[in-house]
Amino acid sequence: MKKTSGFSPEQQLTSLDARLLLSLQRLSDMLKAMQWEQARILGITPLQLQILLFTGHHTAEVNKVAYIATELQLSRPTVSDAAAALVSKGFLRMEEDMRDRRSYSFLLTDTGREVLTQAEQYIAELDTILQKRPLQEKSSLYQSVYTIIAGLYDKEKGGMQRMCYSCAHYEGNKKRQHYCRLFKKKLLSAELQIDCIDHSSLSGPARVISSSDNNG
């Protein structure tokens, strides 16, 4: 059987997988183009825009070069240079870590907060589209996208780390049964977090329950 290709118009005629692959690629390209345009308007680079978005919505504890580099799957020097440029523009400031004087965090300045509000606007059109869709449709879409991202996640390569599936508080079978030990509650698949501020990988691996366990 010929391998499915999301880039082949011929296979797109008969293969749903091919159409899905191309659709995801097209969506990624469109979002990237929108991000680039917003960055151009603000007079910053797309990477600097990403750093602004990250630091603007996370705590000082994770707003460090090493962590952001892992998050964006880039080298530390690349992230460090981009963040330093934002500092020189007056959008970020550096705060020394009192527990480790060799470490520092990047925090938004007042000017940076104003720019952050503008930076977020590149997803406004997509947000409007999503708000108009039925809740059940969005829940199903989120579950599918979450499963795809989890399937691509590779802890050796870094990247997204604050998902429920990689959290020490998670218990479940990663299918239909999910439980958060921190909040002591069952989770619907549509409630699984992709960027949880309470994510923890310090207390050991989570217990994975079997499908025979009666947990939801």
Side-chain angles (χ1 to χ4, degrees), residues 54 61-72 161-162:
F54 185 86
E61 183 179 4
V62 297
N63 286 349
K64 301 175 183 291
V65 169
Y67 201 103
I68 298 173
T70 300
E71 172 77 16
L72 301 180
Q161 297 185 48
R162 292 178 303 282

Side-chain angles (χ1 to χ4, degrees), residues 18-133:
R19 293 194 294 274
L20 281 170
L21 286 169
L22 183 61
S23 296
L24 291 171
Q25 179 63 57
R26 289 286 174 83
L27 180 58
S28 174
D29 292 341
M30 293 173 74
L31 286 173
K32 188 180 299 182
M34 293 158 65
Q35 190 177 74
W36 274 73
E37 177 59 17
Q38 193 66 30
R40 185 193 66 78
I41 293 173
L42 296 175
I44 58 179
T45 68
L47 174 55
Q48 289 168 6
L49 185 143
Q50 287 181 283
I51 293 174
L52 270 179
L53 292 173
F54 185 86
T55 56
H57 294 286
H58 292 83
T59 63
E61 183 179 4
V62 297
N63 286 349
K64 301 175 183 291
V65 169
Y67 201 103
I68 298 173
T70 300
E71 172 77 16
L72 301 180
Q73 299 187 63
L74 296 170
S75 70
R76 294 187 185 185
T78 297
V79 170
S80 181
D81 289 346
L86 289 171
V87 171
S88 66
K89 291 176 182 291
F91 300 158
L92 292 180
R93 62 182 177 84
M94 297 169 64
E95 182 176 273
E96 190 176 71
D97 188 335
M98 301 306 295
R99 295 170 301 180
D100 182 357
R101 295 302 177 89
R102 297 168 300 176
S103 179
Y104 54 87
S105 301
F106 291 102
L107 301 176
L108 290 180
T109 62
D110 290 339
T111 301
R113 292 190 186 90
E114 295 176 4
V115 176
L116 174 66
T117 300
Q118 300 175 60
E120 295 172 334
Q121 292 306 305
Y122 84 92
I123 60 169
E125 186 175 358
L126 177 59
D127 185 37
T128 299
I129 293 173
L130 288 175
Q131 288 183 27
K132 295 178 179 179
R133 307 311 304 164

Side-chain angles (χ1 to χ4, degrees), residues 128-195:
T128 299
I129 293 173
L130 288 175
Q131 288 183 27
K132 295 178 179 179
R133 307 311 304 164
L135 179 59
Q136 185 57 45
E137 179 183 314
K138 288 188 286 189
S139 294
S140 179
L141 175 61
Y142 180 69
Q143 291 174 49
S144 297
V145 172
Y146 192 97
T147 299
I148 291 171
I149 293 175
L152 291 173
Y153 171 72
D154 184 342
K155 65 181 181 180
E156 298 300 325
K157 295 181 180 179
M160 189 67 67
Q161 297 185 48
R162 292 178 303 282
M163 300 178 72
C164 287
Y165 287 175
S166 63
C167 182
H169 301 305
Y170 175 81
E171 289 183 359
N173 60 7
K174 297 184 179 181
K175 293 179 181 178
R176 298 179 60 184
Q177 297 172 320
H178 314 290
Y179 183 82
C180 178
R181 291 188 297 196
L182 179 64
F183 294 108
K184 298 180 174 60
K185 62 173 291 189
K186 296 177 183 178
L187 300 173
L188 298 174
S189 293
E191 294 179 313
L192 292 172
Q193 298 297 302
I194 200 168
D195 184 20

